Structure formats: C-alpha cells, structure tokens
Amino acid sequence: MTGNEVYERFVRLASAGIQTDESRWDEPYIVNLVDTCRASAIQAIYQKTRIIHPNWVQEIDLEYSDDLQEDPCFQRFECPMFLSLDGSVQGLMFAGSQNNNCTIPIVRTRAELGIYQNNRVTTNKMMGLYVYPYLDIYQKGIMIEQVRVGGVFQYVFQLPTYNKMVDEYPVTTDVLNLMEDLWVNKLKVIMATPLDIVPDTKETPATLPKQ
Amino acid sequence: MTGQELYRIFELQVDKDYTGYWDNIKANRIFARALINAMEKIYRNLSEQGEYDELRGFIKVNRTFTPAAFNILYTDPTATATPNIIDYYHLLHVSAQFNEPLYGVNVVSATNASPIVVTFSGLNNIRTGDNLFFSGAVGNTNLNGLRYPKKIKNNVFALYTTSNFQTPVTGNGTYTTLSATVSRYWYEPCQRYFSDRKGTQYGSPSASNPKFEQQNGTALTPTMLLFHPLNLQCQQVSVDYITQPPQAIDVADNVIDLERWYDKTMLYLVVEQAALLAAQQIRDGELYQSTAAQIVQQ
C-alpha cells in the first residue's frame, strides 16, 4: 500500500467513506496525523514484542554538503528524525557505506562519544554522533561523501527520498489496524456523515437511499 | 418537444382561459426564469445519476484551458480576456496542472541515444513511472518536455514519452551538463481555497495539493478563478461545470426540438416552475399551492 493510498484510506475513514474536492481535510494535516498514528502504533507494538519488523525500516543516503561543515574533526550530514521506540531504544538501526561493508557505531550523546574517543582501544575507530537534525561522523583522515542510514523514521512523508505515489508505506498489517484504532478512538478524528441536503424534512443524507 | 408544445402544456397547467393572459414576450420571460429555477433546483440536489441525467444539457466535463499569467481563468460571458469560459454558471470540479521543481536535483548528463539516459545528482525520490517535466536543456533539446523515467540503476534513468515505456525519447545532440531543470508534473484535483484557511500552515496550497478561489473583478478583470500556489505557473486546468442554459425556450417556435438539450423530466419541471412564477404574478394562491405541492411530489 503506497503512502497516497494510506492517506486516502484515512481521509475516507474520517469522511464517511467518501473523498471529494469539497473536503475540508487538508492533505498536510492528514499526512501529519497519519505519520503520528504510525509512530504511536509502532511504539506500542515494539514495547509489547521487542521486535522491529523489517517492513518498518527505511534506508536513506545522506549526501555530503560543504555548507554544513563546521569543524575539521568531523563530517556533518543532515539526517531526518528517527522514531524513539521506547525510553532507551532509538529507531536508528544502521549507519555505514552504501554496500554495507563499513558500519559506523552511533552514539546519542557527546559524553558517550567522549568515552569512546578517550579509550585507547576505540580512540581511532570511526564513530557517529546523532543529535537531530545532524549526524556527525568522527574519523581522522578520511573523507566521507555519502552515508547510508537505516531505521524507523518518525515522519515518512517528509523523507526527501520517499515517493508517496509509488513507495510502500512502511507499516505491517498489525500496525495499520492499530493506526485505525488510534485514529478513531485516541485522536478522535470526526467521523462525519454527509450533509442532509434533501429538502424533505427527513434527516437523510443525499448519498444515502431516499425513503 | 418544441417551445410551442411546452407552452401548450403550460397553458393547461395554469388553466389559462380562466387565470389570465400572457403574450409571447411575457411567456418567454417567464420560461427563461423558470429554466434557471429548475436547473438550480436540480443542481442543489445533484448527487444521483438521475439528477445528472436531468441536467445533461447543462453539464460540460473535462474542458481544458491554459490559464493566463498569474494563474487566472476568467468565467464571465462578457469578458474579452482569455482564457474565458463564456457559458460558465456553476463549478462542479476543477483539476490543475503544476510543475514542481525538484530543488537540489541536477541533470548531470543526458545521452544522445534512444532512449535518452539521464543521470541525476542529489537526494531525490524519482521512481519508475513518475511524471517528470524537463526544461531548458541545451544541446540535447529532445530531453525537454513531459517524460516518463524507467530506472536503470541508482540515479540513472531511461526516458520515454509514454507511461507504458513503449516510445523512447531519442537524443538529438550533445547535452550541455547541468543545463536542464527537472520538475515533477502534477495534475491534481483542486480544493476551494477558503478564506479562513489562509492563515494556517496546513491549509497552504502546493503543486500536489492545488487550490482555487473565486474572485469578483472589475470591468477590466471580470469574474475569475484564481489557482494556487501563486509561486508556480499553472500550466493547464480541466474543468467540469454547469453551463448557462444552452438553448432559450421560445414559446412561438415549433421547429426546434428542445429535447436535444434538455431531458424530458427537466422540461416538465420547467413548466411547473413557470406555472409557479405565473401564479405569483397573478396572485393566484390556490394555483401556487397546488403547483408547489406537485413539484414537491415529484
């Protein structure tokens, strides 16, 4: 199911099964809610099963840009936001080269990075520090042009490499079902019925069979 | 059914011999108004196939126009500005085409071959079957236009002129690197741009989520549809709309068959609406009530 199909599915869920150009649901709003629902559903399922399903995972290649660089000690890449699966496990699962021969250990805090860099065994190892929105790669004497990162992203529709018309929306059926439950019950998106526009004194929406 | 026949039914409906006299000019005026009233009555309930059938003479669909600069389509029968829908009455649906530039994506190379193979640089979400619009290519000018990419490998695509990849685009020269710009081609349904949404971030129009608003203008800039986003040029619009009455009813005419334009049910409704108007004019309360009840019954 593509991103666009998921979007339309949720619009219809909130609009009595129909979607017209008279709809007052704005696409960016619904898309944002859908992404939020997905994040909540994945968190709930992960916390129950402790398994990250491969269908939730996406990969993206980050490209080097001169404009981002601030210090010769590290190379900085702009990186989309990952989903925090619970209090301690983050959605960032992999960082490395495009052919996956080289992987980069990622830490989340400068203190953690400092510990690794001050350790005599790991001091010369390549390390990555991910603090949204940047991924800083620390390695002396190596120029990195492109980094591939993989994981569970927070906002799927905002990924620069995600094509909502073609790409599968990264969910499994259980996540999708939970998303619909959240949509209706937790987020309380109004389940609208069509307007009664038939001047017949009955509460009969125009799209339903007339009595 | 001709205008004359329709008038005869009207005369029977209002029992003309007892209720008054209308000359042809006055009757034509009543019928012109009744035609509009009948159309409006059906238009407001337009949801089922039967109602679409009744309005068949008034509905035009998939009419394409190329908006003027500033994304304007005029909708005024008297306007001389173009493009203009001279018989516009009510809007049913409009889709708009915008080309959204893929910022940060460069066309590094384009082979002089068949099909043209292009190499992009920069993060992108181009996929096989996308609708891409190339412009400004120097050297290999056949690259320009609406093209359908088929992926060969990462960032490398072959280009076709048809979405089923049957007709390749053939190169016609040596491409000057980085000369072309690439945009994504969107032809999407427009939503109305409500005034109360203009202050919201989520309500902002975009190429993939275009919007339109209706404006009243002056004599120089008559009534128009304005398409958003305004920072991009709207390339084309496809409009479904209700037209002005396509054929006036002349009660003296016995040649023109009105059923060429109007559904029979519609014509009977016109007669009833005309009877209603006539009853109002001659202040015949009984006739008014009985005709109104007849319309509700139908």
Side-chain angles (χ1 to χ4, degrees), chain B residues 222-241:
Chain B
T223 318
M224 62 176 87
L225 297 177
L226 180 65
F227 294 92
H228 294 261
L230 289 176
N231 63 333
L232 296 175
Q233 169 83 48
C234 181
Q235 305 292 325
Q236 194 184 65
V237 292
S238 170
V239 190
D240 295 1
Y241 63 100

Side-chain angles (χ1 to χ4, degrees), chain A residues 64-145:
Chain A
Y64 179 85
S65 166
D66 272 336
D67 299 338
L68 294 174
Q69 308 313 315
E70 288 182 356
D71 193 301
C73 294
F74 60 85
Q75 281 158 56
R76 173 162 284 181
F77 296 85
E78 206 164 3
C79 186
M81 187 185 285
F82 285 95
L83 175 65
S84 175
L85 294 170
D86 63 9
S88 56
V89 179
Q90 55 172 322
L92 174 53
M93 296 167 65
F94 165 80
S97 63
Q98 281 185 332
N99 58 13
N100 297 353
N101 284 340
C102 165
T103 57
I104 306 167
I106 303 294
V107 293
R108 292 297 300 266
T109 63
R110 292 198 174 276
E112 207 177 347
L113 180 70
I115 292 168
Y116 279 103
Q117 287 193 321
N118 290 329
N119 184 296
R120 65 186 171 83
V121 178
T122 56
T123 185
N124 287 326
K125 298 282 185 192
M126 190 184 289
M127 293 294 296
L129 170 66
Y130 171 64
V131 180
Y132 179 78
Y134 300 120
L135 176 65
D136 298 337
I137 308 293
Y138 288 80
Q139 170 70 355
K140 287 173 190 160
I142 289 184
M143 172 71 183
I144 299 169
E145 285 190 352

Side-chain angles (χ1 to χ4, degrees), chain B residues 170-190:
Chain B
T170 307
N172 65 339
T174 306
Y175 173 71
T176 304
T177 188
L178 303 179
S179 60
T181 56
V182 59
S183 309
R184 180 162 277 119
Y185 170 103
W186 296 102
Y187 209 143
E188 296 295 311
C190 283

Side-chain angles (χ1 to χ4, degrees), chain A residues 162-197:
Chain A
Y162 184 72
N163 187 323
K164 66 175 183 176
M165 308 300 283
V166 180
D167 292 345
E168 283 289 307
Y169 192 69
V171 288
T172 43
T173 312
D174 52 347
V175 172
L176 198 59
N177 288 337
L178 191 53
M179 282 170 69
E180 288 190 347
D181 281 351
L182 289 168
W183 185 262
V184 176
N185 299 321
K186 284 274 174 60
L187 294 173
K188 298 204 190 311
V189 176
I190 300 160
M191 308 296 281
T193 51
L195 290 174
D196 177 17
I197 55 170

